[in-house]
Every structure is written in structure tokens, then in C-alpha cells.
Amino acid sequence: MTARVLVVDDVQPNLKLLEARLSAEYFEVLTATNGPDAIAICEMGGCDIVLLDVMMPGMDGFEVCRRLRAASETVHLPIVLVTALDRPADRVRGLEAGADDFLTKPVDEIALIARVRSLARLKFSIDELRSRAAHSAATGVVESVEALKSDARERGRILLVDHQRSSFERLVNALTPHHDVIQVDEPGEALAKASDENVDLMIVSLGLGEFDGLRLCSQARSHASTRNLPILLIADREDRQKVLRGLELGVNDYLSRPVDRNELLARARTNVRQKRYMDRLRQTVRRSVEMALYDPLTGLNNRRFLERRLPAMIDTARQRGAPLTMMILDIDHFKRINDTYGHDAGDLVLKGFAAELHQIVRGGDLVCRLGGEEFVVAMPGLDATHAARMAERARRMIENKEFLIGGAAGPVSITVSIGLADFRGEQDSTDLYRRADRALYLSKSAGRNRVTLDAA
């Protein structure tokens, strides 16, 4: 996976060295020698990842990082601080400024490439979700993307997988004041817990006895329920190759023993925040899809879904030589209900009517609300004769049903007019709908509260 990487360093030899290493791996490399220029490039959307030197004159890397995190255009841009500072306190300071990771000079080439590739995957996932959510927000379907920002103080649910008692006790003691920790010592139990407990972060110790901790990470990435779960490795110094392999497998982050408490909390906080944000983006995208294809009042599919699904149903009927019948239902004199009892009462009648329809139709039938008081049922595999019987049963059921609307008005009775048309080799779904609608018109013209089958 390639990406556009911005390298920021005021020392030219350092700049050229990183540029050469990244270019050799086919990354597109941009460069800047100071903080303001770097911020300008980022704000214009010129890069996917930032490798940022800390010790720069004027504006240091910590300040650049804070400013990028404060701007809506760059708040989710992955940032790696590249520095000679290697004390835990320095790393914590960088993480609190908003950095995603640290690389210590002299930069290890393998670690550099593995880290950049890992962050590129994260960036592209967030970009895709943000794009979809922003499109939905622009059309007014859901709230704005900026309203979905996560609070860094949120408590997370963390799954800790470690079978060394002394190790996990230290980790649990550090995490518990800020997060809810679930501890397991058996790798086989970890995946089940990760799926069932709705966790925000899985911390995996590479020291799991005879079991390979990377195997657990690989399994988590291959299961749909845990594919997007952030994973943080706890490794010994000699586990460097395993850590690099873990980053290639999709591990998000790592810490080396002895684990610094503040750095652990900073990395956990970052991963939980990113997970919560991506979850909210996914939820927004799902909600926008539901709102685009479902009627929010009745929960039935809407006209758009019918227009997408019906042509495929007709093609199937044509290819198989199977029957298909469409039924259009219109509640008689529905305007009187709204005028007499109010629109809230009308909504209750519509929801009750939709519930009655579900009691009548079969599992494979397509039930949609077209809008207002008009509904459509497409019935694959049902010929006109049997469809007419179902329609008559629906008509009688509605006629005998009393709909509760609340208040002092008591129950309301309604009737429904129904038009039917069976598939007869129409060119498209519009022809079938037009015939069913014509039959509905005949039902209403003949006095309403009846079923009519189009005879054309």
C-alpha cells in the first residue's frame, strides 16, 4: 500500500535520507523544513502521513502536532514524531500533543516502512468513512461529521490478553482508573470475549507461553466481528522482528517492556478515541443507508428501494417463467383522519396499518410505503388468482380492525382500496406499476373499499 508522506525536518541530510528510504518503497514523498510550511501542506490535503522532526527552530514538532490536531481539516492525519528524544516522558509528551507514534533517530528502515504502511491503512479507512458520512451530512440525512468527534476522556473497554500474573497485574493497575479492563489468560477465550464484550482495544502480550501472540492478532483480523478492533502489542526488546511482523498483519500499536505507565495510558487513550470515532462514522453511514432505503415512520422499505429491487424481481420472473403480482393499497379518506384527529393520530394509523400488512404478506414478499397513505406489495411466485385472495383477506382484515390513536377520540376504523396487476412480460417495472395503479383507480372510482385486478 502506497501513500503520500510529508517529511518535515530542518536538517537537509536527515530530510534526504528519509526521502530516499520512502521513495525506494514507492511512497510519494513531499518535504518541508519548518512547521508553518508543513501545516500549510497538510491543510491543503497534500499528504496522507506526516513524519515530523521534533527539534526545529521557531515552531517545534510538538507545537506543529498540536495545531494539526486542533484543525478540522487535519485532525485525523496520522503523525509520527521522528526524534533523538527517547525517554518515556518525551514519548508521552508527543502522544499527548496528538502524535500517533514515535520513531527514534537513527531511524530503523524496517520499522519506518512497517509503521508508515500501518498508518496508511488506518488513514485510508478513516478517509473512506469520513467521505461517506460527509456526503450523508451534506444531503441533510445525518448530523455533520464534526459532531462525531470523540472525547479523549471517554472510558474504554479494554481486553487484556496476558498469562503472566506479575505482568498483567501491573497493566491492570495502570489502566483500571481510566478504563474498564477485561483480563483473559487463554488466547482461545480472547476472540470470544472480544466479540461478545464490545471492547474498544485489545492488548496482547507476545509472551503467551507456547501460544504465538501474533496468531491471535491474525485471527482477530480475519473475523468480521473483530476486524476493526485496535490491537496493541506488549513486547520484549528482543521481539523486534515479531513486532514488525505484527504491524504487517494489521496490529495498530506496540509497547516495549518495561512498560511506562504514562505511555501505556497515552497509547490506550489514542486507540480508544480512534476506535470510538470510527464506530460513530460507521454508525452514521449505516444510518444514512437505512434512511435512504427505509421509511422512518413505518420501518417499511421506501419508494427508492422498490425502484431498485423490483426490476431484479421482474427479471427473475421472466427468466424462470414464474408468476409475479403487484398489489397497491391506498387508505380510503385518510385526509379526514389527519383533519379530524391531527397528524400524530394519522401517523399512528399508518404504523398500525403497516403492522397489519406484515401479518398478511409472506416472508419473501416486498412491502414498501410509497409515501402518504399508499403502499405496495410485490409478491413473487404468486399468480393473480391467489394474489386476489390475499388482497381480499387484507381488505377484510383492515375493515374489521380498530386502530388506537390515543386521547379521548377512541379507536378509529378505516378501509382500504386495492389494485392488482400480474406480470405479463412487461418491458420494465414501470409498466407493471402503471397497470396496478390503474386497477387501484378503478377500485376508488367504484366506491372504494374493494379489490380490482387489472384486466388488460
Side-chain angles (χ1 to χ4, degrees), residues 232-411:
L232 188 153
L233 287 180
I234 304 293
D236 293 319
R237 297 287 182 182
E238 58 269 22
D239 289 329
R240 175 177 171 276
Q241 290 300 321
K242 285 188 175 182
V243 168
L244 297 177
R245 181 61 176 147
L247 292 172
E248 292 176 359
L249 290 172
V251 167
N252 301 75
D253 208 346
Y254 65 92
L255 278 169
S256 296
R257 290 190 177 92
V259 174
D260 178 78
R261 178 182 181 278
N262 291 325
E263 186 175 359
L264 170 66
L265 291 175
R267 291 187 184 275
R269 182 172 61 245
T270 296
N271 280 282
V272 169
R273 184 177 67 246
Q274 288 176 340
K275 168 67 161 48
R276 293 281 178 87
Y277 179 73
M278 292 184 74
D279 283 349
R280 287 168 182 153
L281 285 175
R282 291 189 183 93
Q283 184 178 6
T284 298
V285 172
R286 283 195 298 269
R287 189 163 67 249
S288 68
V289 171
E290 290 174 356
M291 294 180 71
L293 299 178
Y294 290 86
D295 172 50
L297 177 65
T298 64
L300 300 178
N301 293 117
N302 61 13
R303 179 186 293 271
R304 180 179 297 179
F305 187 87
L306 177 69
E307 291 172 348
R308 292 185 178 187
R309 183 75 184 93
L310 187 58
M313 297 175 72
I314 288 178
D315 287 343
T316 300
R318 181 182 293 114
Q319 292 168 9
R320 297 178 178 176
L324 170 68
T325 306
M326 173 180 283
M327 175 167 62
I328 303 181
L329 308 93
D330 189 283
I331 300 174
D332 296 327
H333 304 298
F334 182 73
K335 185 175 182 298
R336 292 180 186 174
I337 297 174
N338 284 333
D339 292 344
T340 304
Y341 304 107
H343 288 277
D344 289 344
D347 287 348
L348 289 173
V349 171
L350 288 171
K351 288 193 284 189
F353 181 83
E356 291 300 310
L357 268 186
H358 270 299
Q359 299 297 319
I360 300 166
V361 300
R362 304 166 304 162
D365 295 336
L366 174 61
V367 187
C368 302
R369 181 189 177 201
L370 293 188
E373 64 271 25
E374 191 169 83
F375 297 78
V376 167
V377 182
M379 300 170 284
L382 203 64
D383 60 27
T385 301
H386 290 89
R389 293 174 185 166
M390 178 185 287
E392 180 60 26
R393 187 164 66 251
R395 187 199 65 77
R396 288 198 305 268
M397 182 179 290
I398 296 300
E399 183 181 33
N400 296 322
K401 173 72 176 179
E402 291 186 330
F403 293 88
L404 299 177
I405 59 174

